[in-house]
Amino acid sequence: MKKIWLHTVRFYLRCALYFYYKKVKVINAKNIPKNKPLLLLSNHQNALIDALLIAVYGNGRFFYFLTRASVFNKPLIAKILKSLQMIPVYRVRDGWSTISNNVEVFNTCSELLHNNDAVSLFPEGNHSLKRTVRPLSKGFTRIVFETLEKYPETDLQIIPLGLNYENAKNYPDSVSLNFGITISAKQFLFEDKHKSVLKLKTVLQERISQLTTHIPEDNYAVTLEKLKTINVDFLQPERINSLIKDDCLDEIPPFKSKKSTLKKLFKTLLIFQLIVPFIVWQFLIKPKIKEAEFTATFRFAVAITLVPIWVFLVFCLLAAGFSIRIGLIYLITVFLIALLTSKI
C-alpha cells in the first residue's frame, strides 16, 4: 500500500509540475545508482519545491527527505509529510531542548542507508534565493561516518545535485536538475576523523558549486545584475560559472528581451478561468508569506489542491445546468489554456 501511495503521489506531482514549469531540464539522472545506499546532497533555494523535484525526477528512486521540524507542527500536515517519507530534523531555532532528537534522526538515516535506501538532504542548512552555494553544515558528515562506523560493509554512495531556477518566484518558471558523479563515501575514511570531515565537506562544497550557478559573495549584486543584463541561461551553471571566473561579463553585449503579448493573453484567460483559486492565492495566501523562498511552494500548493477542486465544481455545475458536453468543453479549454500559459 505504501508503494502504491508513493507511486500515485509521484505521478500526480509529475503531471502538476509539467503544467507548472515551462521547462524541467534533467541532466545526468542516470548517475543515480538504483540498488545502492545513497545520500543525495543538493543546494537549497526554493523551499519544499526543491524536495518535490528530487522526488519526481530522481531516476525512479523513492527518497527519504530530512525536513525542518517546524513544518511538522500541525498533526494532519505531519501525518501527510511522514507518509511521503519526510523526516523532521531539528535546528537551534527550534529550541535547544529539541536538538537531542537529532540523535534518533541520524540513527534512522543510518538504518535506512544500511537497508540500501536513499536519503536526501540540503547540507546548507537553510534556503535562500541567492544564486550562491552557502557553506555546508557538518550534519551530513555525521550521517556518513556514523553509518560507516556501524555498518562498515555498507557501500554508501554520495551524489551531489545542483538545482537551478530561471526565476524561482515566477510562474511559469524553468528549472534544471544537474546531477553530478557519484562518490564512494569510503574514500573519505582517514585515521584522523577531523581530516575526514573536512575533506568530505570541501569536496561536496566544490562539486555542488560546480553544478549550480555560484556567484561569490564579493560583488554579488553587481555580478548578478550583469548576468541578467546579458540574459544568461541560468539552467546552464557551468557556462555561467566559467564567465564569472574569466571575468568577461563586461565584454558581452546586453540583450533586449522580447515581451510576449500572447503569453500575457493566455495568463489573463487562465486567471479568468480559475478566478476563485486566484483570489484565494492573491489576497489571502500570498500576503501572509514572510519568506520569498516559500512563494513558489505555496503557489504550487494552491495549484494542486484548490485548482482541481474549483475546476471539478465548475464542470459539475455546467454539466448539471447545461450538459456534460458543455462541461467537457470547459475542462478541455482550461487544460489547453494552462498548457499554453506555461509553455509559451
Side-chain angles (χ1 to χ4, degrees):
M1 288 301 295
K2 181 180 178 181
K3 288 289 185 182
I4 293 174
W5 165 244
L6 291 174
H7 275 291
T8 302
V9 172
R10 184 160 67 185
F11 175 76
Y12 182 62
L13 289 175
R14 181 181 286 270
C15 293
L17 288 168
Y18 178 78
F19 279 91
Y20 187 82
Y21 282 102
K22 181 178 181 179
K23 182 194 302 181
V24 178
K25 187 177 180 182
V26 183
I27 304 166
N28 292 327
K30 64 181 184 296
N31 289 347
I32 300 175
K34 296 235 177 183
N35 300 307
K36 289 187 177 184
L38 179 68
L39 185 64
L40 185 148
L41 303 174
S42 172
N43 65 309
H44 197 17
Q45 291 186 338
N46 210 2
L48 188 58
I49 289 286
D50 290 344
L52 296 182
L53 286 165
I54 294 169
V56 171
Y57 296 102
N59 201 26
R61 293 204 71 165
F62 289 110
F63 286 87
Y64 287 83
F65 293 90
L66 265 62
T67 309
R68 69 185 200 178
S70 58
V71 301
F72 290 79
N73 288 338
K74 296 183 179 180
L76 179 59
I77 293 177
K79 189 173 182 179
I80 294 172
L81 292 178
K82 287 179 181 179
S83 76
L84 298 175
Q85 300 192 159
M86 294 192 177
I87 303 169
V89 63
Y90 300 86
R91 303 168 300 171
V92 173
R93 69 182 67 178
D94 298 316
W96 281 103
S97 60
T98 65
I99 298 300
S100 59
N101 294 332
N102 284 334
V103 174
E104 183 180 347
V105 173
F106 293 139
N107 289 336
T108 298
C109 290
S110 293
E111 291 294 329
L112 289 169
L113 293 170
H114 175 60
N115 292 324
N116 281 356
D117 282 310
V119 176
S120 175
L121 59 88
F122 303 102
E124 290 169 303
N126 52 40
H127 51 226
S128 173
L129 292 176
K130 291 186 71 173
R131 299 182 187 275
T132 187
V133 179
R134 300 176 298 286
L136 307 187
S137 63
K138 63 180 182 180
F140 80 95
T141 66
R142 180 175 170 181
I143 293 173
V144 170
F145 294 119
E146 285 188 6
T147 300
L148 293 179
E149 184 178 338
K150 291 179 183 177
Y151 309 106
E153 74 284 0
T154 302
D155 186 18
L156 177 57
Q157 302 294 304
I158 303 172
I159 186 166
L161 168 65
L163 288 167
N164 299 276
Y165 296 88
E166 188 176 289
N167 192 328
K169 292 190 295 182
N170 280 6
Y171 166 78
D173 188 25
S174 293
V175 59
S176 70
L177 292 85
N178 199 358
F179 294 93
I181 299 172
T182 53
I183 306 166
S184 173
K186 289 184 177 180
Q187 68 179 281
F188 296 97
L189 286 174
F190 303 110
E191 290 185 9
D192 185 343
K193 190 171 182 179
H194 177 72
K195 179 182 177 182
S196 298
V197 170
L198 184 60
K199 182 66 175 177
L200 181 58
K201 281 183 63 178
T202 302
V203 170
L204 266 300
Q205 180 86 38
E206 180 182 327
R207 296 286 181 90
I208 296 174
S209 297
Q210 291 170 350
L211 299 168
T212 309
T213 296
H214 178 62
I215 304 175
E217 288 293 339
D218 296 341
N219 221 22
Y220 176 88
V222 173
T223 302
L224 179 60
E225 191 58 37
K226 287 180 181 178
L227 292 171
K228 289 180 178 179
T229 300
I230 62 175
N231 198 38
V232 296
D233 183 357
F234 284 108
L235 306 191
Q236 298 183 21
E238 293 92 343
R239 180 176 180 275
I240 297 173
N241 290 339
S242 177
L243 291 173
I244 295 172
K245 184 178 179 181
D246 295 340
D247 195 22
C248 59
L249 294 177
D250 291 325
E251 300 171 13
I252 303 175
F255 178 89
K256 293 183 179 180
S257 60
K258 296 179 181 179
K259 295 183 179 180
S260 173
T261 304
L262 195 60
K263 187 170 186 175
K264 287 183 178 180
L265 172 62
F266 283 120
K267 200 166 187 177
T268 302
L269 289 173
L270 186 62
I271 290 172
F272 176 74
Q273 296 284 354
L274 306 176
I275 188 63
V276 170
F278 175 76
I279 289 173
V280 171
W281 159 250
Q282 191 70 23
F283 299 103
L284 297 180
I285 297 177
K286 189 177 179 180
K288 294 180 181 179
I289 299 175
K290 297 179 181 179
E291 298 177 62
E293 293 84 359
F294 277 103
T295 302
T297 295
F298 280 104
R299 186 195 289 117
F300 187 71
V302 171
I304 63 175
T305 54
L306 294 183
V307 168
I309 293 172
W310 169 252
V311 171
F312 179 72
L313 286 176
V314 174
F315 164 76
C316 290
L317 289 172
L318 291 173
F322 298 95
S323 67
I324 292 180
R325 183 180 178 184
I326 297 297
L328 289 174
I329 290 174
Y330 165 75
L331 281 181
I332 294 170
T333 301
V334 171
F335 275 104
L336 284 176
I337 292 174
L339 184 63
L340 290 169
T341 302
S342 65
K343 300 305 178 184
I344 288 181

